[in-house]
Every structure is written in structure tokens, then in C-alpha cells.
């Protein structure tokens, strides 16, 4: 059962979701995530879940709202323009505190953009995205294996905190084929029973359950905001995930996530071959962002370079973490272009200086 | 009559009509004479009589009835503007045994939510849509709706709806009846006791179809009033329905299940 | 023809004075008050002993605040009163 399989990232994610006890999938075709939708259409009915190809991403996210509000483990997936369309619904889901999994297989924008991979949706993903003060837990895989692993984690976190979890990946990770092993997962043990709040029908005359994001009185709306903010503080305390590579002796630090982190890793190796002591920090949870880890490392290096497939979005969070202590550079490619390791190395050389140790 | 006489009178009588317990014991916020209160009551009466409260889920819209859950004492989800049917699809597909109905106004169902409405019916998703058509956006202050009649004055058609500029009134029930997924589509009213009895029957029938697992979407349109938005007294608004509105929005069944056709 | 006797109780404090029950009453048993309730509305009252308990007033009342009683054998409820259903 746990044998190694060769799969596309999108399909691995879909398979993991089904193995995690997915009860409903609602989606709409958009490149480069359509394999996920197609996989669900083939598999989910057979394995006890409901699949609906909706008429739009707007409908998809509101189907997720309905089913999640009734206590089901549900998800949707899309790519950038579709994710923009979902924002209103996601804001409602965040306020109404419904657990669900969202997947954005990012492509280059703005506008209709390109179907090639990008990381241009970082701001939209981690700063809220829709209207109002809210956050999603955002997980950024960088391999097909992590596409699967983070799906299980995502569902569990969504249940635990009663909020949407977003897997922010990109067209390359969605399309690439790699080996993947699906871990053992006990659905019954891991699924949370939501009957204390979900709309399941007023069995035995219990109190009415209401799913809403409407609080007309300002006092009530502020109170709901405070509930959300308290939850976010707890998440910032407990759910920061990141990976460090060769940072122990590093004089210079790269920060990159997802696909960029794979390429940055390669650049670290190239730099090390030339005797430059470069390390890499890869944020895995983009919200909550590993501010503390970056701040700690910034005390040990002479400079930082953030690498993204965007015009520079995550770099703003890196600069917040570093708070001016060392220079933070940025290298990025846009519109579906992917930074190459030698390009990154060149940028490193422009900024690199050995740390003068006190 | 004095209280004492009243008590004696009642003692010898049987209660033949009381407010359903499935309405919260709270006054509603609707304007005097508004049809929402009546339709809320009819749905809850039907749910109570059919004994399905323990698996009923209501979907409230955006609009005047956004707070429907303060009156309907059943589990309720409040959906984004126009998305009530998508929300209902989500619930019904994962939990087919639940009895699901949406409660939507004309702005919600026939303007911003037209896409969701058409596709839910086209998929034949087995829930009930209760569609309140009063030809106006009541909540936001009486603006023109897609259902506003030609010539009708609203705050955004101050000189009356000019169909060349503003399009025509939509008969969305007839449109939806063309779709194979539609199982039972009827247009009702609540502006007289006779109409209320009929509307109640239609709602109950539609819910019964859902309970029986009959194939397709049911829609009960209630052509209702908006005394405040129409700038009429409740009496005038009900009379206006009879005199003008029902000429365009004709009452009666628009699509009935195959067996009943004759 | 023996007339069926009926009676209604109206929660006048929740009445919004829409007048629809008065208009709908076939026996002209109801009328609107001259005074106002605490909400500032006139309210419907049973003024004449002509009520037959036909329930028309209750059916059109948007507030659902009218309870109808009827005397005699031919009690035909428009809706069965729920008994023992847990709500």
C-alpha cells in the first residue's frame, strides 16, 4: 500500500486528499491544475465522495462553504485567475470559521497572464486576499511528495483551527512527475467531529446552528474579529514551519520557497563549490511566516538574497524580519520565467561578503 | 370583550390555528405588511408538518431576509450574495439525506446569482428554491431589480423602467422550467388568505418531493410585495399585485412532474 | 343556519398595524385600534362578536401573532396543530 509511485504533483495531491477522507470536491477547469479536477472526477465517486464540476470558481468556493458548513471534509483547487474569483467566498469562509482545503496552482499574471508557473500570488495568499482582516494557513510544498504530505497536514490544521488552509504551489510542481509515497493515515482518528457547530439538522430539538459571517452590530463584529485574531496569534506561535539548508556556517543566506527553493538549493551547491559559504532558509508555512528564524539567522550572515518567481513579494516579509540589520537583496523572474541557478549565483556574488566575525 | 368573557369563550373552543413552534419567538424586522413574514411561516409550517426539522438546512440569502435565521428555527447557513444555490449544492451532494432549501430574493437569485441558479437547476440538484420576487431591491433602498416591471419607478429608474435602456423584466421561473433538471416550478402569491393556502400547499408539495428523493430541483416563486420600496400602504401593494403584477407574472404551476401532467 | 363561533387572540404589542387582517376578515370582526402600541403602531383588535374562526386573518398576518379558536364539531384546521413533536 505504501509503495513508491510515479505521479504528477496535481495527481499526488488529489490522491492524498482522497486518502485523507475527502467527502466533497468542487472545482472548475483551469490550467495548470486541471489534472487535479480530472483525477477527482475519475476517483472520488468510486471512493465515497461527491464530485461536482461547478460552473465557475465562484460556485466552487460557495459549494465548499455549504458542505464545510454542514461539517464535511471538503476542498477545491484552482489556478491564479480562478483563485482571484474565489476571494469573496474565502473571506466568508474565514469569518464563519469553516475548515476546508484550498489549492492554488499558481500561474503567471497579472490578468489572464500565462499558464506557466509563477509565485506572483504570494501577497494574495498570505495577506488575506479578499476583504476584511483574515488569514489562511498557507503551506508551500516544493516537491511532489510534499504536495501529498501537506494535503494531510492541511486538512488536519483546517479541522484543528476551524479555518481554511491553502496549499500554494505552482504550475511546475503541479505538472512535474516525481516519486511519491503515501503515508499511513487513519481517517477516523484524525478527522474532527464538527457536530457541535455544523448545520446538520436540529436533531432532538437541540439549539439551532447558524453559519454566518454577518454581524450587523459593530460590537459583535469586533468581537468576531478578536476571536479570529486570537486564533491567528495561536497559529503564529505553534504552526511555523521552515527548513534550513547549510545555514550552520553560512556567511550569506538565501530565502526562497516552493519551486524557487529547489533552484536556490542548487545555487547553494554551486556557491559552495566556489568556496562561498551560502545557506538557504525555505519557509514552508508562508503564513505563519518564519520571521523569528530569519531574524535569528540575520544576526549570523552578512547579507540575504530572496529569490522568487515574482516581482518581489515575500522579500517584504524577509525585510520585516531582518528589520534593517543586514542588506536584503532580491532576485526574481516573472511571467512564467523560472530563475536559473547560475543567475542566482551571479546575484549572490554581487552581494556576498564573508561575515566579519566579532 | 372583557378578559373574563374572553377566557370563558376560549375555554369552550378549540385552537384551530397557532404560530408554528419552528418560528423563533421573536418579532421580525420586516416592514409592516411585508410578505417575507408570511413565507417564512409557511415554510416552517411545512417543515414541522412533514416532521423533517431534524434534517432540514436552510440557506439564507443577502437582502432583506439575510437574517432569516433569526426567525427560522432550523439550522441555517447564510450564503454570499447570489450563491445560495451553490451552497445548497455543496450540502446536498455530500449529504443527500438532508432537506435543503434556499430562500432568495430577486436581486439575489435573478441578478447576481443567475449563473448559480441556472446551473443548480440544470444539474437537477434536489433541493427547494423559495424565490421571493417583489421586483425591487428592498434592503438597499428600493433600486431597480431585473424583475422590475416596465415603467415601474424605483430609486434607480426614477422615471420608470425604460426597457430600451434598462432591459426587460425577467420571468426567470419560465426560463428555468425549460431545463430538464427542473422538477417542479410554480408561481404563487401571499396577498390573500386564498393565495396563502395555495402557496403553502406548493411549498409542502415541493418539500415532499425532496423527501421522497424525486429527481430534480423544485422552485416556488412567490410574487410578493414591498410596501416600503413601492411607496404604498400594505393594502395598496397587495391590490397592485392583483391589478398589475400578476398580469406579467402569472400565477400557477409552470412545470409539474411528469405523472401529474394531464 | 347555525353560525360557527370563533375567536382570535392577537399579540397586539407585536402588531405593526399593516391592516391586512382587517381587510381579509370576511365577517368584519376586526378593526384597527385608535391608540398606539409601544412600538408606535396602531394594532388590530377583535371588536365584533361575528368571528367564525375561519383563520383568514392569521393566514395573511406577516407577524404570525394571531391565534385562532373555534367552537363546534366541524373543526377543520388549515394545518394540524403539532402534538408532541419536539421542536
Amino acid at each position: 500500500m505504501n509503495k513508491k509511485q510515479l505521479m504528477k504533483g496535481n495527481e499526488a495531491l488529489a490522491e492524498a486528499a482522497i486518502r485523507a477522507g475527502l467527502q466533497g470536491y468542487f472545482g472548475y477547469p483551469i490550467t495548470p491544475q486541471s489534472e487535479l479536477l480530472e483525477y477527482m472526477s475519475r476517483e472520488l465517486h468510486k471512493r465515497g465522495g461527491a464530485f461536482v464540476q461547478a460552473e465557475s470558481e465562484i460556485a466552487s468556493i460557495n459549494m465548499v462553504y455549504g458542505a464545510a458548513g454542514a461539517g464535511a471534509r471538503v476542498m477545491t483547487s484552482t489556478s491564479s485567475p480562478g483563485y482571484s474569483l474565489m476571494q469573496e467566498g474565502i473571506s466568508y469562509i474565514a469569518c464563519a470559521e469553516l475548515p476546508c482545503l484550498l489549492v492554488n496552482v499558481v500561474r503567471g499574471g497579472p490578468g489572464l497572464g500565462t499558464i506557466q508557473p509563477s509565485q506572483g500570488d504570494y501577497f494574495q495568499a498570505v495577506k488575506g486576499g479578499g476583504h476584511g482582516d483574515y488569514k489562511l494557513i498557507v503551506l508551500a510544498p516544493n516537491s511532489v511528495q510534499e504536495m501529498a504530505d501537506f494535503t494531510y497536514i492541511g486538512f488536519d490544521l483546517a479541522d484543528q483551527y476551524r479555518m481554511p488552509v491553502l496549499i500554494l504551489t505552482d504550475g511546475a510542481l503541479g505538472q512535474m512527475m516525481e516519486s511519491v509515497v503515501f503515508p499511513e493515515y487513519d481517517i477516523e482518528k484524525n478527522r474532527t467531529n464538527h457536530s457541535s457547530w455544523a448545520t446538520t439538522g436540529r436533531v432532538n430539538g437541540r439549539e439551532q446552528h447558524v453559519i454566518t459571517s454577518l454581524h450587523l452590530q459593530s460590537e459583535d463584529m469586533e468581537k468576531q474579529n478578536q476571536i479570529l485574531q486570537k486564533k491567528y496569534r495561536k497559529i503564529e506561535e505553534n504552526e511555523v514551519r521552515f527548513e534550513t539548508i547549510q545555514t550552520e556556517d553560512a556567511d550569506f543566506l538565501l530565502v526562497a520557497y516552493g519551486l524557487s527553493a529547489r533552484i536556490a538549493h542548487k545555487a547553494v551547491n554551486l556557491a559552495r563549490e566556489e568556496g562561498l559559504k551560502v545557506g538557504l532558509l525555505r519557509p514552508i508555512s508562508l503564513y505563519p511566516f518564519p520571521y523569528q528564524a530569519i531574524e535569528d539567522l540575520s544576526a549570523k550572515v552578512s547579507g540575504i538574497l530572496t529569490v522568487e518567481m515574482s516581482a518581489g513579494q515575500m522579500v517584504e516579509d524577509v525585510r520585516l524580519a531582518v528589520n534593517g540589520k543586514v542588506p536584503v537583496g532580491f532576485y526574481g523572474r516573472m511571467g512564467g520565467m523560472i530563475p536559473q541557478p547560475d543567475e542566482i549565483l551571479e546575484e549572490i556574488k554581487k552581494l556576498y561578503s564573508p561575515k566579519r566575525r566579532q | 370583550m372583557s378578559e373574563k368573557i374572553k377566557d370563558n369563550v376560549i375555554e369552550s373552543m378549540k385552537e384551530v390555528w397557532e404560530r408554528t413552534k419552528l418560528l423563533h419567538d421573536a418579532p421580525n424586522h420586516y416592514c409592516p405588511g411585508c410578505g417575507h413574514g408570511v413565507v417564512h411561516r409557511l415554510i416552517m409550517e411545512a417543515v414541522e408538518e412533514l416532521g423533517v426539522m431534524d434534517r432540514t438546512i436552510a440557506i439564507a440569502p443577502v437582502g432583506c431576509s439575510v437574517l432569516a435565521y433569526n426567525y427560522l428555527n432550523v439550522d441555517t447557513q447564510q450564503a454570499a450574495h447570489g450563491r445560495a444555490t451553490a451552497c445548497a449544492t455543496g450540502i446536498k451532494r455530500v449529504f443527500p439525506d438532508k432537506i435543503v432549501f434556499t430562500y432568495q430574493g430577486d436581486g439575489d437569485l435573478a441578478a447576481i446569482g443567475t449563473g448559480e441558479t441556472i446551473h443548480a437547476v440544470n444539474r437537477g440538484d434536489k433541493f427547494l428554491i423559495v424565490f421571493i420576487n417583489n421586483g425591487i431591491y428592498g434592503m438597499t433602498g428600493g433600486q431597480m431589480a431585473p424583475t422590475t416591471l416596465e415603467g415601474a419607478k424605483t430609486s434607480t429608474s426614477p422615471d420608470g423602467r425604460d426597457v430600451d435602456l434598462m432591459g426587460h423584466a425577467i420571468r426567470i421561473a419560465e426560463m428555468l422550467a425549460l431545463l430538464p433538471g427542473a422538477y417542479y416550478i410554480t408561481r404563487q402569491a401571499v396577498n390573500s388568505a386564498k393565495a396563502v393556502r395555495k402557496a403553502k400547499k406548493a411549498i409542502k408539495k415541493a418539500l415532499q418531493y425532496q423527501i421522497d428523493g424525486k429527481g430534480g430541483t423544485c422552485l416556488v416563486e412567490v410574487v410578493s410585495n414591498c410596501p416600503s420600496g413601492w411607496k404604498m400602504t400594505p393594502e395598496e401593494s397587495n391590490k397592485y399585485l392583483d391589478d398589475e403584477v400578476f398580469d406579467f407574472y402569472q400565477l400557477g404551476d409552470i412545470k409539474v412532474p411528469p405523472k401529474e401532467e394531464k | 343556519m347555525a353560525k360557527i363561533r370563533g375567536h382570535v387572540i392577537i399579540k397586539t404589542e407585536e402588531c405593526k398595524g399593516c391592516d391586512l387582517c382587517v381587510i381579509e376578515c370576511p365577517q368584519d370582526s376586526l378593526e384597527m385600534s385608535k391608540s398606539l402600541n409601544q412600538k408606535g403602531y396602531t394594532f388590530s383588535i377583535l371588536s365584533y362578536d361575528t368571528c367564525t374562526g375561519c383563520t383568514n386573518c392569521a393566514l395573511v398576518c406577516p407577524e404570525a401573532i394571531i391565534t385562532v379558536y373555534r367552537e363546534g364539531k366541524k373543526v377543520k384546521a388549515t394545518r394540524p396543530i403539532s402534538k408532541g413533536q419536539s421542536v
Side-chain angles (χ1 to χ4, degrees):
Chain A
M1 185 172 166
N2 295 333
K3 66 176 195 295
K4 215 180 236 189
Q5 303 179 44
L6 187 66
M7 281 180 110
K8 273 192 174 189
N10 284 336
E11 293 178 340
L13 198 157
E15 175 61 28
I18 297 171
R19 287 175 187 236
L22 184 69
Q23 290 171 285
Y25 173 93
F26 311 95
Y28 185 79
I30 183 169
T31 310
Q33 69 83 46
S34 295
E35 296 82 7
L36 219 165
L37 175 84
E38 288 165 357
Y39 195 92
M40 290 296 183
S41 74
R42 282 199 303 275
E43 292 292 324
L44 193 53
H45 279 307
K46 282 192 281 191
R47 292 157 73 177
F51 167 87
V52 180
Q53 179 174 326
E55 62 273 23
S56 69
E57 287 87 353
I58 297 175
S60 307
I61 194 69
N62 285 285
M63 289 174 188
V64 166
Y65 178 96
R73 179 164 271 198
V74 289
M75 69 175 289
T76 183
S77 63
T78 184
S79 179
S80 306
Y83 192 66
S84 291
L85 273 177
M86 290 184 181
Q87 292 309 318
E88 184 200 28
I90 295 171
S91 176
Y92 276 60
I93 290 171
C95 187
E97 301 186 82
L98 306 180
C100 61
L101 188 74
L102 314 172
V103 179
N104 183 357
V105 186
V106 182
R107 60 190 243 181
L112 192 52
T114 164
I115 58 172
Q116 303 303 325
S118 163
Q119 296 182 323
D121 294 0
Y122 178 89
F123 282 151
Q124 191 185 38
V126 308
K127 305 296 180 189
H131 59 286
D133 281 313
Y134 73 91
K135 296 280 190 184
L136 314 177
I137 293 176
V138 183
L139 302 174
N142 80 339
S143 64
V144 171
Q145 182 64 52
E146 284 191 350
M147 292 278 272
D149 293 345
F150 291 2
T151 301
Y152 299 93
I153 297 171
F155 277 122
D156 292 347
L157 288 175
D159 269 0
Q160 187 185 339
Y161 292 102
R162 269 188 69 182
M163 66 186 283
V165 173
L166 170 66
I167 295 190
L168 188 73
T169 179
D170 66 65
L173 287 165
Q175 299 291 325
M176 70 167 62
M177 291 186 88
E178 284 184 327
S179 65
V180 55
V181 179
F182 294 99
E184 292 285 351
Y185 183 85
D186 186 337
I187 295 169
E188 290 313 310
K189 214 179 109 199
N190 284 289
R191 272 211 63 195
T192 307
N193 183 339
H194 296 306
S195 62
S196 64
W197 56 265
T199 55
T200 54
R202 286 181 55 215
V203 186
N204 301 325
R206 67 148 164 76
E207 286 287 296
Q208 171 195 35
H209 290 172
V210 174
I211 303 295
T212 185
S213 61
L214 178 74
H215 305 275
L216 280 174
Q217 301 298 324
S218 301
E219 291 83 358
D220 296 342
M221 191 68 242
E222 186 178 49
K223 206 173 139 202
Q224 180 59 23
N225 267 288
Q226 283 162 346
I227 290 169
L228 295 179
Q229 291 303 319
K230 202 174 151 193
K231 176 156 75 180
Y232 300 152
R233 294 301 89 76
K234 203 171 151 191
I235 287 165
E236 286 160 11
E237 219 166 273
N238 297 313
E239 303 301 341
V240 176
R241 289 169 163 80
F242 62 91
E243 181 190 19
T244 53
I245 293 161
Q246 294 190 269
T247 52
E248 298 77 14
D249 65 339
D251 290 333
F252 190 84
L253 183 70
L254 292 182
V255 182
Y257 73 93
L259 186 68
S260 297
R262 285 173 77 125
I263 302 159
H265 190 175
K266 179 84 178 158
V268 168
N269 293 341
L270 291 178
R272 291 267 170 180
E273 280 169 22
E274 297 192 17
L276 308 178
K277 287 184 180 171
V278 178
L280 168 67
L281 184 141
R282 170 168 81 100
I284 290 172
S285 59
L286 301 182
Y287 178 83
F289 192 73
Y291 288 108
Q292 191 61 49
I294 293 173
E295 188 189 344
D296 292 349
L297 277 172
S298 70
K300 299 179 187 166
V301 297
S302 62
I304 294 176
L305 178 69
T306 303
V307 182
E308 295 176 61
M309 285 142 60
S310 76
Q313 301 190 12
M314 183 181 73
V315 65
E316 293 191 4
D317 280 324
V318 176
R319 285 182 178 136
L320 275 177
V322 172
N323 202 13
K325 288 194 201 87
V326 289
V328 177
F330 171 73
Y331 181 69
R333 298 294 301 267
M334 293 168 286
M337 297 302 291
I338 296 175
Q340 298 302 308
D342 54 337
E343 295 170 12
I344 298 171
L345 181 61
E346 218 167 284
E347 289 301 311
I348 293 172
K349 284 178 182 168
K350 284 185 203 163
L351 299 167
Y352 184 87
S353 70
K355 175 88 174 172
R356 276 170 299 189
R357 294 174 199 278
Q358 281 86 21
Chain B
M1 270 184 277
S2 76
E3 287 300 316
K4 201 176 171 194
I5 298 169
K6 215 189 258 176
D7 286 348
N8 289 340
V9 169
I10 292 165
E11 230 164 68
S12 67
M13 293 185 180
K14 288 187 180 169
E15 198 175 83
V16 290
W17 199 97
E18 67 169 0
R19 178 189 172 99
T20 167
K21 297 282 188 298
L22 283 189
L23 283 176
H24 279 292
D25 191 15
N28 67 48
H29 73 282
Y30 301 117
C31 303
C34 171
H36 272 312
V38 177
V39 185
H40 282 12
R41 196 187 76 221
L42 297 184
I43 302 168
M44 286 302 97
E45 286 175 359
V47 169
E48 185 184 17
E49 287 162 26
L50 294 167
V52 290
M53 173 203 73
D54 58 357
R55 54 190 177 116
T56 294
I57 302 170
I59 317 289
V62 170
C64 288
S65 47
V66 65
L67 290 167
Y69 48 80
N70 284 350
Y71 317 124
L72 313 177
N73 193 2
V74 290
D75 279 5
T76 308
Q77 297 193 11
Q78 193 278 309
H81 201 20
R83 320 300 171 210
T85 50
C87 190
T89 295
I91 299 171
K92 195 70 187 179
R93 289 299 185 103
V94 180
F95 302 108
D97 292 342
K98 302 295 177 198
I99 303 304
V100 180
F101 71 88
T102 71
Y103 188 98
Q104 300 172 263
D106 39 0
D108 192 275
L109 180 139
I112 194 168
T114 318
E116 282 75 9
T117 306
I118 289 174
H119 287 281
V121 178
N122 193 44
R123 286 188 298 264
D125 279 330
K126 295 176 187 174
F127 53 78
L128 164 64
I129 301 170
V130 179
F131 168 39
I132 309 298
N133 176 7
N134 58 10
I136 204 158
Y137 284 80
M139 183 67 140
T140 44
Q143 293 84 4
M144 185 185 73
T147 44
T148 300
L149 294 184
E150 179 174 356
K153 286 184 182 176
T154 70
S155 66
T156 49
S157 59
D159 300 323
R161 183 175 192 161
D162 176 347
V163 295
D164 290 335
L165 287 174
M166 305 164 185
H168 297 264
I170 279 186
R171 288 191 193 95
I172 201 149
E174 280 85 346
M175 271 174 60
L176 294 171
L178 297 173
L179 302 173
Y183 190 69
Y184 171 54
I185 293 195
T186 184
R187 185 180 284 126
Q188 301 290 332
V190 291
N191 67 332
S192 70
K194 196 177 158 200
V196 169
R197 286 190 181 92
K198 277 189 178 172
K200 164 78 177 293
K201 249 174 133 176
I203 290 168
K204 203 169 166 183
K205 193 161 46 163
L207 284 172
Q208 187 65 55
Y209 289 142
Q210 191 180 159
I211 292 165
D212 297 343
K214 293 275 170 57
T217 313
C218 296
L219 180 137
V220 177
E221 172 176 344
V222 179
V223 184
S224 191
N225 60 353
C226 181
S228 303
W230 294 356
K231 314 216 182 308
M232 293 179 187
T233 65
E235 183 184 5
E236 286 164 357
S237 72
N238 277 351
K239 195 166 174 302
Y240 177 71
L241 284 168
D242 280 327
D243 295 348
E244 312 260 344
V245 181
F246 296 156
D247 287 345
F248 186 80
Y249 294 114
Q250 288 181 357
L251 302 184
D253 289 346
I254 295 165
K255 182 171 184 182
V256 293
K259 271 183 208 162
E260 294 183 33
E261 268 169 13
K262 248 162 218 173
Chain C
M1 194 179 75
K3 199 169 146 295
I4 302 162
R5 288 178 66 225
H7 189 75
V8 297
I9 290 181
I10 301 163
K11 284 191 193 170
T12 51
E13 276 311 311
E14 292 180 19
C15 182
K16 292 177 186 160
C18 73
D19 212 16
L20 295 180
C21 57
V22 176
I23 297 157
E24 197 64 30
C25 177
Q27 303 294 327
D28 296 330
S29 312
L30 301 166
E31 65 178 7
M32 295 309 288
S33 66
K34 301 279 184 287
S35 58
L36 303 178
N37 64 17
Q38 282 191 358
K39 284 183 180 168
Y41 295 114
T42 56
F43 49 91
S44 152
I45 39 178
L46 181 65
S47 293
Y48 306 100
D49 193 15
T50 52
C51 177
T52 62
C54 74
T55 72
N56 277 11
C57 55
L59 288 177
V60 296
C61 174
E63 314 302 320
I65 51 170
I66 304 178
T67 308
V68 184
Y69 300 84
R70 195 187 296 172
E71 187 188 61
K73 289 163 195 164
K74 286 187 176 176
V75 173
K76 188 175 175 274
T78 50
R79 162 181 97 76
I81 303 302
S82 59
K83 286 278 184 302
Q85 191 178 356
S86 113
V87 286

